[in-house]
Amino acid sequence: MEFVMFFATAAIALIGALAMVLSPNAVHSALFLLLNFAAISVLFLLLRSPFLFAIQLTVYAGAIMVLFLFVVMLLGAERADATQDRLAWQRPLALGLALVLLIEAVFISVTTIPQTPAVASPEAEAFAAPANLGSVLLTTYVLPLQITGIILLVAIVGVVVLNQRARLRHSLELEQK
Amino acid sequence: MVPTDYYVLLSAALFTIGVLGVLLRRNAIVLFMSVELMLNAANLALVAFAYRHANIDGQVLVFFVISVAAAEVAVGLALLVTIFRTRSTTDVDEVSTLRG
């Protein structure tokens, strides 16, 4: 049963990712990426991580993708890429390099990861309960948690400053005219 | 139980698709989405290994990756909006003033 779930979700994740890269319309890309995020959150649930499942859905699929869709629609950038590509020779090279990267990653993971036991250890079933994760976050990892908070604050201030400066320049240009 | 190898192979495939997106596409917003895809692929591998070893540290790392990614997306999209205001384009080939 778990295998069926895994393969179905993995197929959805791969299809979502491929369609995201290949779709010419940026709005479609964002929606396919949303599908991929949802599939990955189901995989987190299969890996017995309910807290990360919820975080993935609310932060990634909720907040981040809404931000992406807002910006795509605000800029009207949903049309296809310009037809003439200045670096056309990059495309076949990129495909080849990506293939090499994939072969490398598959080779390394096949050769270095030892075979997993067929049965999960009993402690693996409940180790990632939200209560455990919360207590680790607030004891061992309390300093990184605080730093993350500061990073988020700096990001908020940075976004406000970026928009403020753009608006200032815009009003200056209007005055000069 | 699904072997960890399968999750790692899926993660490698997703990461490669993200790299392909960054290399092939010219729309800056789609480039950003591909970066998000790569971050997610790395998260998947981290959670798979955390489950395999019944070790919670990998999960904590994924939590931090997600929150830093949220900050990164906010700043990146603000930059994109600012670039769009001055250049009226999101094509990365057009924004090459810093090219040597």
Side-chain angles (χ1 to χ4, degrees):
Chain A
M1 186 60 203
E2 213 178 306
F3 271 91
V4 176
M5 277 292 289
F6 172 78
F7 283 115
T9 326
I12 293 172
L14 282 175
I15 290 169
L18 272 177
M20 190 272 286
V21 170
L22 295 178
S23 134
N25 186 322
V27 176
H28 294 174
S29 288
L31 292 175
F32 279 123
L33 189 60
L34 191 61
L35 178 70
N36 178 58
F37 285 168
I40 287 181
S41 73
V42 173
L43 289 177
F44 284 175
L45 210 53
L46 275 182
L47 288 165
R48 315 292 192 281
S49 317
F51 182 69
L52 288 179
F53 160 76
I55 290 287
Q56 173 87 2
L57 274 187
T58 52
V59 176
Y60 256 124
I64 292 183
M65 286 322 292
V66 167
L67 203 60
F68 265 114
L69 279 173
F70 257 129
V71 171
V72 169
M73 290 175 176
L74 178 76
L75 301 186
E78 59 264 6
R79 62 189 177 281
D81 296 348
T83 39
Q84 79 276 27
D85 200 337
R86 286 189 195 168
L87 300 168
W89 52 269
Q90 263 189 353
R91 269 164 208 273
L93 188 65
L95 282 172
L97 285 178
L99 197 66
V100 171
L101 179 68
L102 183 66
I103 291 169
E104 248 181 309
V106 168
F107 177 75
I108 289 173
S109 55
V110 163
T111 49
T112 55
I113 302 172
Q115 284 299 305
T116 38
V119 184
S121 51
E123 72 261 31
E125 294 296 319
F127 80 101
N132 290 351
L133 201 57
S135 66
V136 172
L137 267 180
L138 290 177
T139 52
T140 321
Y141 290 98
V142 72
L143 183 65
L145 190 69
Q146 302 281 347
I147 295 173
T148 311
I150 294 174
I151 289 175
L152 286 171
L153 180 67
V154 170
I156 294 170
V157 175
V159 169
V160 171
V161 167
L162 275 174
N163 279 315
Q164 206 72 31
R165 195 175 292 161
R167 199 176 303 147
L168 212 70
R169 192 182 304 141
H170 188 62
S171 58
L172 277 177
E173 279 169 6
L174 281 183
E175 277 175 18
Q176 281 171 356
K177 282 173 192 167
Chain B
M1 182 199 173
V2 182
T4 314
D5 319 28
Y6 290 13
Y7 285 102
V8 177
L9 290 181
L10 175 64
S11 157
L14 287 175
F15 191 91
T16 312
I17 294 173
V19 171
L20 257 183
V22 170
L23 292 177
L24 289 181
R25 298 301 299 267
R26 285 287 161 263
N27 188 335
I29 298 175
V30 181
L31 292 195
F32 249 110
M33 291 184 201
S34 305
V35 172
E36 294 307 307
L37 185 63
M38 286 193 268
L39 283 173
N40 254 285
N43 281 351
L44 184 63
L46 275 172
V47 176
F49 283 122
Y51 178 55
R52 158 88 192 266
H53 296 288
N55 185 339
I56 207 160
D57 292 346
Q59 302 230 342
V60 175
L61 191 55
V62 170
F63 176 76
F64 287 132
V65 168
I66 289 178
S67 39
V68 172
E72 170 244 325
V73 164
V75 176
L77 288 178
L79 279 174
L80 267 184
V81 172
T82 316
I83 290 173
F84 190 82
R85 272 189 188 147
T86 52
R87 297 281 179 125
S88 312
T89 183
T90 52
D91 192 316
V92 286
D93 276 348
E94 304 289 325
V95 190
S96 55
T97 318
L98 284 178
R99 191 158 148 195

